Amino acid sequence: MATLGNPKETIEILKKYGFSFQKRFGQNFLIDTHVLEKIIRSAEITKDDFVLEIGPGIGTMTQYLCEAAREVVAVEIDKKLIPILTEDTLKEYNNVTVINEDILNMDLNTLVEERNGGKPIKIVANLPYYITTPIIMGLLEAHVPLDTITVMVQKEVAERMQAVPGSKDYGALSLAVQYYAKPYLAANVPPNCFMPRPNVGSAVICLRLHEVSPVQVKDEKLMFAIIHASFQQRRKTLVNGLANALELSFSKEEIITALEAASLPLTVRGEALTLAQFAELANVLHGGNL
Ligand code: SAM
């Protein structure tokens, strides 16, 4: 039975082990059972599922995951939390493995291959906010076999992931997330659901990985370099933004020809382009027959 998830139990565990929060690890522990239940429901976890949790903390959400899933692997960077997890809060569960590691240093393709026969897994996490984007982008770009990613992130990051062309939040993160997955906002979560309270609002976002990519791209790297360059200089037209970009080596003339081939106006800015239009532009530039 899950026993954590309220302030009293959390404080007791922290006191018992003399644990003090590490700001540098983005430690804000969940202390609200409604939010925990909402995350588990949104992730649609069943007894068939293999779940990877990033940053279990004292194991609050891990307890819920162990009850709902077939198997759980929890990766925690802070070695001071390991005895709390293995000797105390997760001791009763025989379907969980705790790994003391930095998630950014792990080869998750190998983990999925060895632990789940290469079949897609689910990721569930209350993410450390200082590395949200590298974690999400690392998972997506490495093509780790995934069903869904259900994560607590800063509200503003959740908004960027879901943003549409022309809106102020639309940018490289929106396009990257939407290239790989369909985002869905499951809940907004206020600071008082955490200990200690973060000074920003939070949100639970579910990313369901596409089975078939929504656009066909000849060279993913080139498309993302174009996207990156377009939003580096948001206020410039796409022609100037791409011609000035250090990471690209196209001349202004080549870019103008490509925009014309992709039926885009020469005055267009990157923030107006859909994912399909970025893909088309990348495919035209990739072809090299300009
Ligand atoms: N899951 C717990 C909860 O909801 O109460 C804790 C969430 S807390 C926001 C983030 C957790 O991620 C902390 O336990 C922190 O130590 C851990 N963490 C931070 N950076 C990490 C990294 N690079 N790799 C693995 N875990 C990390």
Side-chain angles (χ1 to χ4, degrees), residues 25-30 53 55-57 60 75-78 81 101-103 126-128 130-131:
F25 289 145
Q27 292 175 338
N28 300 94
F29 296 169
L30 269 168
E53 184 187 12
T60 309
V75 177
E76 174 56 61
I77 196 171
D78 187 348
L81 289 166
E101 187 51 273
D102 180 339
I103 192 70
N126 169 16
L127 286 177
Y130 74 106
I131 43 169

